Amino acid sequence: MRFRIYRYRPEEDQKPVFQDYVLAPEALEGAVMLLDALMLLKAQDATLSFRRSCREGVCGSDAMNINGRNGLACITPLKDLREPITLRPLPGMPVIRDLAVDLSGFYRQYRAVRPWLIDEGPEPEIERPQSPVERDRLDGLYECILCACCTTSCPSFWWNPERFLGPAALLQAYRFITDSRDKALGERLDDLEDPYRLYRCHTIMNCTDVCPKGLDPAHAIGAIRTLLARRRL
Ligand code: SF4
Ligand code: SF4
Ligand code: FES
């Protein structure tokens, strides 16, 4: 199996290059997912850098651009990939080394939506109850693993990474807007009523298309727009 992998080692490379690798069929025995193959390549060439942790599609750390599309290496079957399998770092982010990118800007935008429950009222004695129907409204929102596949496939984010929140952060904004236990709806909508933070989304839909967890950030963004439009009436 043939691979073309983006290499950039800042201490020795003036600019990035692609390096070709080959894994013989016998070496690939038992390898099912792309991450399995990457681990075999890493055993051959210890200088190859990428992140990974859970190998179950849960931690989000092995997000990368696989044959032109963002995804998680650990849940991408090798048999579905055409060769040479071309791997690049997530687009639009500063590259630290090879397939590892600097996600500080991504997390900054995530923090900006205050991804926690806000309720300044008195603390309940036991818990903050939620009906089954209210809880169900969080389905499709809370499962985000912050892999950044969506945000780094969004052209609006590439052009305005400082000012546009990006689909992952906006999905989380909507997750807390929707939560019946949160009491900061007005403030949250005020924060989003901005030509860049929310309205830079041009409904290109790349985000929803690539999400490895099957979530729909574009729908969440549309729902926030609807709430903002309604409160203007
Ligand atoms: S729908 Fe909006 S957030 Fe999603 S990729 Fe398109 S512009 Fe970006
Ligand atoms: S919405 Fe999907 S693609 Fe975006 S960060 Fe969350 S899990 Fe990853
Ligand atoms: S290694 Fe955790 S999501 Fe792939």
Side-chain angles (χ1 to χ4, degrees):
M1 199 160 232
R2 291 172 301 120
F3 298 81
R4 293 204 77 206
I5 304 184
Y6 179 105
R7 302 297 315 268
Y8 176 62
R9 286 150 296 173
E11 66 280 6
E12 55 197 78
D13 295 336
Q14 298 290 326
K15 56 181 182 144
V17 291
F18 277 93
Q19 187 168 339
D20 293 325
Y21 292 90
V22 177
L23 281 173
E26 40 302 357
L28 276 163
E29 211 179 294
V32 178
M33 299 295 176
L34 174 60
L35 183 60
D36 300 329
L38 275 169
M39 296 303 287
L40 291 168
L41 291 173
K42 176 87 178 166
Q44 266 182 25
D45 176 359
T47 69
L48 179 62
S49 298
F50 54 89
R51 293 193 184 101
R52 52 101 184 99
S53 180
C54 70
R55 70 163 186 79
E56 294 290 350
V58 174
C59 71
S61 60
D62 62 343
M64 58 187 71
N65 188 269
I66 306 162
N67 282 351
R69 181 185 164 87
N70 291 352
L72 299 174
C74 64
I75 54 170
T76 300
L78 281 167
K79 66 174 174 46
D80 294 347
L81 297 173
R82 68 171 194 287
E83 296 179 48
I85 297 170
T86 304
L87 303 179
R88 295 182 175 84
L90 289 175
M93 293 286 174
V95 175
I96 298 173
R97 188 180 180 87
D98 297 342
L99 300 173
V101 294
D102 180 357
L103 287 167
S104 315
F106 174 77
Y107 291 125
R108 199 164 43 246
Q109 299 297 41
Y110 174 55
R111 274 195 299 275
V113 305
R114 295 191 287 169
W116 52 81
L117 286 176
I118 300 175
D119 181 355
E120 304 294 344
E123 284 216 2
E125 254 174 51
I126 301 175
E127 61 187 356
R128 297 176 200 276
Q130 194 167 45
S131 73
V133 172
E134 289 167 342
R135 164 62 191 79
D136 285 352
R137 288 193 200 118
L138 303 180
D139 284 350
L141 303 172
Y142 78 89
E143 301 94 330
C144 173
I145 57 171
L146 295 175
C147 65
C149 283
C150 57
T151 295
T152 59
S153 69
C154 170
S156 297
F157 188 78
W158 299 338
W159 298 322
N160 295 286
E162 301 295 333
R163 298 204 276 175
F164 176 48
L165 289 169
L170 288 167
L171 182 89
Q172 289 312 302
Y174 187 58
R175 180 248 175 275
F176 286 94
I177 283 171
T178 303
D179 197 311
S180 58
R181 298 164 299 178
D182 191 90
K183 304 297 176 223
L185 174 64
E187 275 173 51
R188 290 186 187 278
L189 290 179
D190 289 347
D191 286 348
L192 294 168
E193 182 102 66
D194 174 278
Y196 277 90
R197 289 164 75 81
L198 172 80
Y199 289 108
R200 275 293 115 174
C201 169
H202 296 309
T203 330
I204 304 162
M205 302 296 285
N206 286 6
C207 52
T208 295
D209 192 39
V210 299
C211 176
K213 304 302 281 184
L215 308 182
D216 191 349
H219 177 264
I221 294 168
I224 299 173
R225 282 178 192 256
T226 304
L227 287 171
L228 285 168
R230 274 207 204 118
R231 81 169 184 168
R232 270 184 236 120
L233 294 177

